[in-house]
Amino acid sequence: MRKFKKFVSTAIIAAMAGTLCLTGCGSNSSSESSTGSSKSGKQVTVAVVQPMSHTSLDQIRDTITSELGKDDNIKVVTDNANGDTAALSSIIENYKSEGVDIVVPIATSTAQTAKSVYDGEDTPIVFAAVSDPEAAGLTGEDCANITGVSNNIPADEIVKLIANFQPDYKKIGFLYTSSETNSVSTITAAKKYCDDNNIAYEESSISNVSELQTAVESLISKGVDALYTGNDNTIASAMATYTDAAYAKKVPIYCGADSMVADGGFATVGVNYVQLGKQVADMVEKIANGEKVSDIPYETISDYAKYVNMQAVKQFGGNFDKKAFEEFDVLVEEDGTSHFNK
């Protein structure tokens, strides 16, 4: 494995250098300390809300709070619904009552909830990690106060990723959570690409984590050579269940995020969530300094990650051409050493 590129991520090092400012994220709000100054001279309170905890979402939160923590006049509070949809709505309602200046909802469900709670209000909403803002109803005339950063992944890149390592594959297995608009959009685009290019696939959706193992086993029983899951929060929170079921049958798992590879997936051409967090923080700072939300169109992630997990290769018994790894950084070594966030 020493012939492959060593993992180097200056973006991660830079972004996470300030994470000591983070005081934690739970059911109670927490404020961030800061070290810089804002042009406005007025303290701006920014509420960062996530629907649950898993590596990707936590990484986004930590990067945003680290970046915004450099401004003395920006106070950041954070909260986590821990998978409770009702709690998510209550959290945002509370922030509305408290009069926070900017809301940063992480993930599609949180952004949709924020839009509903703030319907008719002018409070800026800057979403993070929404795969398809249009399908999620976060664009248009009723969304003048909404912008953010999408974590959309081009469908052709998904299929090329699998073909890079398994050029002789016959069928792909797509697995996603049916209630997650972001995940459905990614898989829908991938299926269309497959249909247009005569690529065989099977699909399976789950409504909760308890169905994950059965769904994986069902896809494998249909003869898939590879499994793919995009930016799916539910499945990302249960990667151990996913990998145990797939690797026992020697089927690789391709993912939509580097964090999912760090948690056991095999490979990704996906989202660098530190980069996404930096882009979101930059938008928030512009708004805090007086720019209008309507003048800041939503963006897509500007830098895709290419990572592999060599321990996963060992677990499912993969035997790939060494040339397939040339453009990929090793995120997890064969012995389990992880370079994630280092």
Side-chain angles (χ1 to χ4, degrees):
M1 297 308 111
R2 300 301 177 208
K3 293 183 180 180
F4 303 143
K5 287 191 298 181
K6 289 296 181 183
F7 175 84
V8 178
S9 181
T10 55
I12 291 178
I13 293 171
M16 301 310 294
T19 53
L20 292 178
C21 294
L22 185 65
T23 60
C25 181
S27 58
N28 296 317
S29 298
S30 60
S31 61
E32 307 301 324
S33 60
S34 50
T35 59
S37 62
S38 172
K39 294 178 182 178
S40 66
K42 171 185 174 293
Q43 186 175 67
V44 174
T45 300
V46 178
V48 181
V49 184
Q50 64 191 97
M52 64 180 71
S53 281
H54 64 68
T55 306
S56 298
L57 302 185
D58 293 347
Q59 189 178 41
I60 296 169
R61 178 201 65 208
D62 290 353
T63 303
I64 293 170
T65 55
S66 175
E67 291 297 302
L68 296 180
K70 298 172 184 178
D71 192 323
D72 282 330
N73 292 321
I74 293 180
K75 175 186 176 183
V76 181
V77 292
T78 63
D79 227 319
N80 187 338
N82 294 310
D84 186 334
T85 303
L88 187 61
S89 182
S90 295
I91 288 167
I92 297 175
E93 288 279 6
N94 287 339
Y95 281 134
K96 180 182 177 182
S97 298
E98 292 171 7
V100 300
D101 299 292
I102 301 172
V103 179
V104 179
I106 301 176
T108 301
S109 60
T110 319
Q112 291 173 318
T113 301
K115 177 189 175 183
S116 177
V117 170
Y118 280 91
D119 183 37
E121 301 287 330
D122 294 328
T123 302
I125 296 172
V126 184
F127 61 73
V130 173
S131 294
D132 192 337
E134 294 182 12
L138 300 171
T139 62
E141 294 181 0
D142 63 337
C143 299
N145 65 320
I146 302 175
T147 188
V149 182
S150 170
N151 58 343
N152 180 58
I153 302 168
D156 58 333
E157 293 296 334
I158 294 170
V159 178
K160 289 176 184 176
L161 169 65
I162 297 170
N164 178 68
F165 290 99
Q166 297 174 262
D168 298 323
Y169 78 90
K170 303 298 182 184
K171 188 186 296 185
I172 302 171
F174 292 121
L175 181 58
Y176 59 97
T177 302
S178 58
S179 61
E180 292 194 30
T181 304
N182 50 305
S183 187
V184 173
S185 293
T186 298
I187 299 303
T188 298
K191 290 191 299 180
K192 183 179 185 305
Y193 182 87
C194 289
D195 289 336
D196 291 345
N197 290 275
N198 297 314
I199 298 170
Y201 63 85
E202 297 285 347
E203 64 177 296
S204 184
S205 64
I206 64 171
S207 58
N208 56 64
V209 170
S210 66
E211 299 171 357
L212 182 56
Q213 182 173 339
T214 300
V216 174
E217 292 172 348
S218 174
L219 285 172
I220 292 174
S221 71
K222 295 175 182 177
V224 302
D225 306 296
L227 290 162
Y228 180 85
T229 296
N231 303 307
D232 190 299
N233 294 307
T234 302
I235 295 175
S237 71
M239 286 300 291
T241 299
Y242 195 3
T243 56
D244 284 350
Y247 296 168
K249 299 297 184 180
K250 302 188 181 303
V251 177
I253 295 173
Y254 298 85
C255 310
D258 57 348
S259 57
M260 294 172 75
V261 172
D263 288 341
F266 164 49
T268 186
V269 171
V271 179
N272 179 329
Y273 281 109
V274 169
Q275 175 61 36
L276 187 148
K278 282 177 167 286
Q279 287 179 237
V280 171
D282 183 61
M283 281 187 170
V284 171
E285 288 184 304
K286 289 178 179 177
I287 295 167
N289 286 323
E291 290 195 35
K292 295 180 179 179
V293 179
S294 57
D295 292 336
I296 306 174
Y298 84 80
E299 303 172 353
T300 55
I301 186 70
S302 64
D303 183 27
Y304 291 105
K306 285 189 174 185
Y307 297 126
V308 291
N309 182 329
M310 300 311 300
Q311 185 179 54
V313 176
K314 183 177 180 180
Q315 290 172 334
F316 63 72
N319 183 21
F320 305 113
D321 189 321
K322 289 184 178 181
K323 289 184 178 180
F325 292 90
E326 287 181 352
E327 295 184 1
F328 290 77
D329 290 319
V330 175
L331 193 59
V332 181
E333 303 281 356
E334 188 173 313
D335 65 2
T337 300
S338 177
H339 303 292
F340 186 66
N341 279 348
K342 296 179 182 178

